[in-house]
């Protein structure tokens, strides 16, 4: 089942972002080019009583304003409300119940979604302040819950109430053995067309108008090679070009699609070639540690000679120098050229990403590598690597135990990564290397 989405909404400066950070358990940097409007990442995940929840932070709502920025913030919040399964309506006990709170409450009631009034800044121990009780006037079915987003008090009661209001079965661990494949790329790169060609039917809306796909759409496919779930996503544009607030949430969904994917297909438009934006999109998958395949679409529209593929490969490898492990496939969603090979690549990079190597074999490779190239030294001190072990897969993650972390230079880490790839493959997947002093926990 899908993870339920919880939107935190309310007036500006009532503590929504502080509560958001408290619920997801980390202080997540939120980048804004205009305060409250454009945010690179405004979602996070948390778990409560065995349920997985997606939390969305929103800009403050000013119900009655002619200010363009505040109107944009309100519209952004309205999209979050529309996407949410449960809405946490946040108010400030110190300012009391305001006219704007009442107007927002009316707007929220029209949504038909479960609304949980969350009264923030109830920081004192014991019973909430007298002003808390006036929020009962809002007349929601759920009673107001007193919280302190700074101290975290009351957040457990809030999440308990959230669980009472999510649909049955949502948020539970998925019993799904399919390989999740996120199709990401710039607008109009052919993401929906590729999936339509793969499944042999026009399941998704296809248009040459950029931005047709507003949300992440799942398509389940069973083949002789196994079960797959393709996640079509809205095209990701430069942040400076995202003016439509609906599209901002499309980008949010695309990030979320990458997070829950096993494999990412990074779509490149052959006609425009590799661009700076393609580099950034590919970086989303790389930083998330996802197995990836670079899919160059519209290859049928390119005039070719004997050097065309090699030249294209070189440009892509130069631009995406940080992910040399990703295979490149040249296809045409229009003609179906080499579409069938995509399944083979998906299975291969998925298996590579989930490969686990025994500690014994790893240390044999380590011994040979350090014998060929001595570990670095500095001022008479030489790096000693005692042993290594693999601690996880997807992506394969290795911990090296040594005598001095500072001596373990990045260049030597890269050398050891290359040795691992030469011996074990790991084609299509990033590798994570963690360095520990001997005696530290490997987890």
């Amino acid at each position: 089942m899908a993870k339920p989405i919880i939107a935190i909404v309310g007036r500006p400066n009532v503590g929504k972002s502080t509560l958001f950070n408290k619920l997801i358990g980390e202080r997540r940097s939120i980048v804004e080019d205009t305060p409250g409007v454009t945010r690179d990442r405004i979602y996070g995940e948390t778990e409560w009583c065995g349920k997985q929840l997606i939390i969305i932070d929103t800009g403050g709502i000013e119900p009655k304003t002619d200010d363009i920025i505040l109107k944009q913030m309100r519209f952004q919040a309205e999209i979050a409300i529309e996407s949410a399964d449960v809405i946490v309506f946040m108010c400030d006990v110190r300012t009391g119940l305001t006219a704007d709170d009442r107007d927002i409450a009316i707007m929220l009631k029209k949504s038909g979604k479960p609304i949980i009034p969350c009264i923030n800044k109830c920081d004192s121990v014991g019973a909430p302040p007298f002003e808390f009780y006036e929020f009962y006037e809002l007349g929601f079915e759920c009673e107001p819950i007193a919280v302190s987003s700074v101290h975290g008090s009351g957040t457990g009661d809030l999440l308990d109430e959230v669980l009472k209001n999510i649909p049955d079965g949502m948020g539970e661990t998925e019993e799904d053995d399919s390989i999740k494949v996120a199709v990401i790329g710039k607008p109009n790169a052919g993401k929906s067309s590729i999936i339509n060609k793969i499944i042999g039917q026009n399941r998704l809306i296809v248009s040459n108008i950029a931005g047709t796909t507003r949300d992440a759409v799942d398509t389940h496919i069973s083949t002789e090679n196994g079960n797959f779930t393709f996640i079509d996503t809205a095209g990701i544009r430069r942040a400076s070009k995202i003016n439509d607030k609906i599209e901002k949430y499309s980008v949010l969904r695309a990030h979320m699609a990458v997070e829950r994917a096993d494999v990412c297909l990074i779509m490149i438009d052959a006609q425009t070639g590799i661009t700076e934006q393609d580099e950034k999109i590919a970086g989303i998958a790389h930083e998330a540690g996802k197995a990836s395949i670079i899919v160059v679409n519209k290859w049928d529209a390119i005039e070719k000679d004997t050097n065309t593929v090699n030249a294209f490969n070189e440009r892509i490898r130069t631009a995406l120098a940080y992910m040399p492990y990703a295979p490149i496939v040249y296809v045409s969603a229009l003609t179906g050229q080499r579409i069938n090979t995509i399944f083979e690549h998906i299975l291969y990079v998925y298996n590579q990403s989930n490969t686990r190597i025994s500690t014994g074999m790893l240390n044999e490779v380590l011994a040979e590598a350090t014998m060929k190239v001595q570990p670095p030294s500095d001022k008479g001190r030489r790096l000693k690597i005692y042993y290594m072990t693999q601690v996880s897969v997807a992506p394969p993650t290795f911990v090296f135990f040594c005598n001095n972390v500072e001596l373990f230079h990045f260049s030597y880490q890269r050398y050891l990564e290359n040795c691992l790839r030469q011996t074990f493959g790991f084609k299509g997947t990033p590798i994570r290397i963690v360095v520990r002093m001997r005696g530290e926990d490997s987890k």
Side-chain angles (χ1 to χ4, degrees), residues 1-6 50-53 85-86 114 160-174:
M1 298 291 289
K3 297 176 184 178
I5 297 174
I6 317 303
K51 302 277 189 177
Q52 299 289 330
L53 308 173
D85 299 295
V86 177
D160 285 342
E161 192 64 28
V162 166
L163 294 190
K164 292 178 186 177
N165 287 275
I166 63 175
D168 291 340
M170 288 194 77
E172 295 177 355
T173 303
E174 295 184 7

Side-chain angles (χ1 to χ4, degrees), residues 26 42 50 127 151 193 207 284 378 403 422:
E26 63 179 281
I42 55 171
H151 301 117
S193 299
S207 168
I284 295 172
D378 181 46
N403 64 330
Q422 289 168 9

Side-chain angles (χ1 to χ4, degrees), residues 350-357 390 392-394 396 398 424 426:
Y350 173 80
N351 289 329
Q352 291 285 291
S353 180
N354 285 275
T355 297
R356 189 177 288 276
I357 310 298
Q390 184 174 358
S392 65
V393 296
F398 303 92
F424 302 112
F426 296 119

Side-chain angles (χ1 to χ4, degrees), residues 194-243:
I194 282 284
I195 298 177
N196 285 342
K197 201 69 177 182
I198 288 172
I199 65 177
Q201 57 179 311
N202 290 326
R203 165 73 182 271
L204 306 173
I205 298 172
V206 181
S207 168
N208 58 5
I209 301 174
T212 300
T213 305
R214 291 293 193 184
D215 210 340
V217 181
D218 288 8
T219 303
H220 303 281
I221 305 172
S222 293
T223 73
E224 58 184 11
N225 295 316
N227 299 321
F228 302 84
T229 299
F230 284 87
I231 309 165
D232 182 34
T233 61
I236 306 174
R237 304 187 190 188
R238 290 176 182 269
S240 61
K241 294 186 178 180
I242 304 175
N243 298 315

